[in-house]
Amino acid sequence: MRVRVAITALGITAALLAVSACSSTTADTKSDPPSSVPSGKPALSDRNAALLSSDVLETRLLDESDLGGGYVHKPERAAQHDDVTVVGCPALSELGGDAATGGTLAFPRKAKAAFTYAGGSSELSEELYSDSANKLSDGISRISGAMTGCPSYQVVAGGTPIDVSTRKLPVPHGLGDEQWSQLLTFTAGGRSTVVKQTAIRDGSLLLIVSGSPALVDRHLGAALTKATATT
């Protein structure tokens, strides 16, 4: 069964495009040992209840001065409206129309930045969203759960078939109110790209950091600190 799904909601568009272009670089998979997974789902917090505008979120994104040497800001690609065809993942299929329209993470208050590192051999992207705690939690939980519910499936992006494997990772304990983390491997034409994706909800703010596993681990804490700063 084929279902057209707007997977861009979780910020993996860059990875799909990189594989479609037959990038010869495989991201570094070395990372710090993840913390243990906390038991149970925490109650939704009312902290940071005030919603932040897209302009304010923009100021809370990491920039080159935060990241250090070797990072270059990557211009945002022009908006693309072509959906990605997903084959062999009932969990994604169950999202139906919501996923097909990108509705689950189509929050109006958002900001995004992407960077290349070490001459373009690795990439890092950051997304910020602001909405009620309930809406953020529901949106990211449904998409992340659907993606990790299938250990492997296939997507067709721009006519290029891409094999995708997913693995749920232990979450970074102690950061924010809720956390999600997963490892995705995209394979096309004999070449693979590995992407780690970690999402943290802190009150009415949702942070998603994606890219080379080592880079995500290195900058996740700084990204959350800057995103939740009150001054």
Side-chain angles (χ1 to χ4, degrees):
M1 177 180 181
R2 289 175 175 259
V3 176
R4 299 184 67 76
V5 181
I7 296 183
T8 57
L10 274 183
I12 65 174
T13 306
L16 290 172
L17 291 172
V19 177
S20 297
C22 295
S23 170
S24 60
T25 299
T26 299
D28 183 3
T29 58
K30 294 181 180 179
S31 59
D32 296 330
S35 302
S36 58
V37 181
S39 59
K41 181 178 180 179
L44 296 186
S45 171
D46 289 331
R47 290 187 301 106
N48 303 327
L51 304 186
L52 303 177
S53 68
S54 296
D55 289 341
V56 171
L57 292 175
E58 192 77 30
T59 66
R60 299 192 180 193
L61 291 168
L62 293 175
D63 55 32
E64 291 93 330
S65 64
D66 300 311
L67 296 170
Y71 290 87
V72 177
H73 190 272
K74 185 178 180 180
E76 187 173 355
R77 291 179 179 272
Q80 296 189 4
H81 303 288
D82 292 337
D83 291 338
V84 174
T85 301
V86 180
V87 184
C89 184
L92 282 176
S93 300
E94 289 174 3
L95 289 178
D98 285 342
T101 59
T104 49
L105 277 182
F107 302 116
R109 302 171 183 87
K110 56 190 176 183
K112 181 178 180 179
F115 304 87
T116 59
Y117 177 65
S121 61
S122 299
E123 295 190 2
L124 180 75
S125 69
E126 178 186 9
E127 296 167 80
L128 289 176
Y129 299 91
S130 183
D131 211 318
S132 71
N134 283 297
K135 289 182 179 179
L136 293 176
S137 179
D138 180 66
I140 187 67
S141 293
R142 294 176 68 198
I143 293 287
S144 182
M147 293 180 70
T148 56
C150 297
S152 63
Y153 53 95
Q154 187 179 76
V155 299
V156 179
T160 301
I162 304 168
D163 294 322
V164 184
S165 63
T166 64
R167 177 162 61 91
K168 188 175 181 179
L169 297 176
V171 294
H173 181 54
L175 298 180
D177 299 313
E178 292 183 278
Q179 312 87 12
W180 301 261
S181 192
Q182 59 187 348
L183 194 72
L184 302 101
T185 301
F186 303 89
T187 303
R191 296 185 174 95
S192 296
T193 296
V194 178
V195 174
K196 182 174 183 178
Q197 189 170 73
T198 299
I200 298 174
R201 184 190 64 80
D202 189 275
S204 59
L205 186 77
L206 176 65
L207 164 71
I208 301 175
V209 181
S210 307
S212 164
L215 297 186
V216 172
D217 290 342
R218 184 182 306 167
H219 297 293
L220 181 64
L224 182 63
T225 297
K226 186 171 184 178
T228 56
T230 56
T231 57

